């Protein structure tokens, strides 16, 4: 039997309307749904890590067999540096253009991370990463217009993935300098300017090819538009005397 107190409380309660019952059902359903949602929700993300800004390295390609060229004015020590890096003994004489045809040597690049991957996965064949070092003939002022070895020199640079600038900063009356002075800052300006002139010529040719192209598909038109915008930005950067890798 129910106690008299419960009966009294039941009598004291106000009559429940259908609207009130609907509100209570809705509240209970919302609470159940909220509990289920909380269980399904993924864990909160930690503070976002700032991405590393892209630098000049992003303009190159990723590979286990890259090629770099040693570039500089004549008689600044390119062949000597090449011999030191590759353990070779090519001629390094005291006169301009001792090197005419480029010298190539492959140098192994040891990496503990690579060895760890090999030990972990035990592949059937292992190809060690290497760097191909190229000793390129000296560059002189006006090379882009044919001075010195001219276009031959620049075509050798174009075949590499990157360049190592070799500059002279030592005084020695017995070692000839084509400009009759020792100024590494001026040397690097001459080299970068010649490379910039050649890059500008290449980009203008690329723009001329794009102008002749007449795509019909919408996707191809969009792709051409994006490529043309990029080409125009690069040309503008080169014409203003700036390097693409830094801008």
């Amino acid at each position: 039997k129910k106690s008299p107190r419960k009966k009294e409380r039941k009598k004291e309660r106000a009559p429940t309307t259908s609207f009130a019952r609907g509100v209570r059902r809705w509240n209970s359903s919302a609470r159940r749904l909220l509990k289920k949602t909380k269980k399904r929700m993924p864990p909160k993300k930690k503070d976002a890590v700032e991405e590393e800004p892209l630098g000049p390295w992003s303009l190159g390609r990723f590979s286990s067999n890259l090629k770099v060229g040693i570039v500089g004015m004549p008689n600044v020590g390119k062949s000597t540096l090449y011999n030191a890096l590759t353990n070779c003994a090519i001629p390094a004489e005291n006169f301009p253009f001792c090197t005419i045809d480029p010298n190539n040597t492959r140098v192994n690049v040891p990496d503990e991370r690579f060895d760890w991957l090999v030990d972990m996965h035990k592949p059937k064949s292992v190809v060690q990463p290497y760097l191909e070092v190229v000793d390129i003939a000296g560059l002189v002022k006006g090379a882009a217009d044919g001075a010195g070895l001219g276009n031959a020199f620049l075509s050798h640079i174009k075949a590499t993935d990157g360049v190592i600038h070799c500059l002279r900063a030592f005084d020695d009356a017995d070692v000839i300098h084509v400009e009759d002075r020792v100024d590494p800052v001026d040397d690097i300006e001459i080299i970068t300017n010649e490379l910039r002139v050649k890059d500008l010529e290449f980009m203008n040719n690329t723009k001329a090819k794009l102008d002749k192209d007449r795509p019909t598909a919408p996707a191809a038109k969009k792709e051409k538009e994006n490529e043309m915008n990029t080409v125009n930005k690069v040309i503008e950067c080169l014409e203003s005397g700036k390097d693409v890798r830094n801008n």
Side-chain angles (χ1 to χ4, degrees):
K1 292 182 180 179
K2 293 181 180 180
S3 63
R5 289 183 180 178
K6 286 184 178 180
K7 288 182 180 179
E8 289 176 3
R9 287 175 186 171
K10 202 170 184 181
K11 289 178 181 178
E12 291 174 357
R13 288 177 185 172
T16 305
T17 62
S18 58
F19 174 76
R21 286 195 296 270
V23 170
R24 284 202 296 272
R25 290 195 196 101
W26 184 88
N27 287 336
S28 59
S29 300
R31 283 194 293 270
R32 285 196 298 270
L33 181 62
L34 185 61
K35 288 181 181 179
K36 291 181 180 178
T37 307
K38 284 183 178 179
K39 291 180 182 178
R40 295 175 186 174
M41 285 177 65
K44 291 183 179 180
K45 293 183 179 180
K46 296 181 180 180
D47 294 338
V49 180
E50 293 184 6
E51 295 184 1
E52 182 183 355
L54 296 179
W57 57 266
S58 61
L59 298 175
R61 68 185 179 94
F62 293 91
S63 176
S64 60
N65 54 345
L66 297 174
K67 181 189 287 189
V68 295
I70 302 177
V71 179
M73 305 282 286
N75 275 29
V76 297
K78 296 185 302 300
S79 297
T80 303
L81 176 61
Y82 175 84
N83 288 336
L85 291 174
T86 62
N87 199 23
C88 292
I90 64 169
E93 305 297 339
N94 183 20
F95 57 85
F97 304 111
C98 171
T99 302
I100 297 178
D101 295 324
N103 299 295
N104 298 52
T105 302
R106 290 184 178 182
V107 181
N108 289 329
V109 181
D111 193 333
E112 294 179 355
R113 297 169 298 177
F114 179 83
D115 297 336
W116 183 86
L117 289 172
V118 171
D119 294 337
M120 177 65 69
H121 297 284
K122 303 286 191 267
K124 293 181 180 179
S125 63
V126 178
V127 180
Q128 292 287 344
Y130 65 86
L131 181 68
E132 186 172 354
V133 183
V134 186
D135 180 27
I136 300 176
L139 176 149
V140 295
K141 197 171 185 178
D145 299 324
L149 296 180
N151 292 326
F153 162 85
L154 294 166
S155 65
H156 294 154
I157 293 181
K158 190 177 178 181
T160 63
D161 297 298
V163 294
I164 301 173
H165 287 289
C166 184
L167 305 172
R168 174 178 171 178
F170 62 90
D171 290 315
D172 191 337
D174 295 331
V175 180
I176 304 167
H177 194 290
V178 291
E179 297 290 333
D180 277 336
R181 50 105 182 105
V182 177
D183 188 349
V185 175
D186 194 34
D187 287 353
I188 192 67
E189 286 179 356
I190 291 174
I191 294 169
T192 53
N193 183 63
E194 296 300 325
L195 296 178
R196 199 182 299 117
V197 170
K198 204 63 182 177
D199 287 343
L200 184 59
E201 179 185 338
F202 174 78
M203 295 308 299
N204 284 327
N205 292 337
T206 303
K207 183 177 180 180
K209 291 179 183 178
L210 287 173
D211 288 334
K212 293 179 181 178
D213 190 16
R214 294 288 186 273
T216 55
K221 287 182 179 179
K222 184 67 175 177
E223 184 178 355
K224 179 193 172 182
E225 182 182 351
N226 293 336
E227 188 173 357
M228 183 63 81
N229 291 335
T230 303
V231 168
N232 288 330
K233 288 180 182 178
V234 172
I235 291 175
E236 183 181 353
C237 179
L238 293 171
E239 287 178 342
S240 62
K242 298 177 182 178
D243 294 327
V244 177
R245 66 178 182 273
N246 298 327
N247 295 277

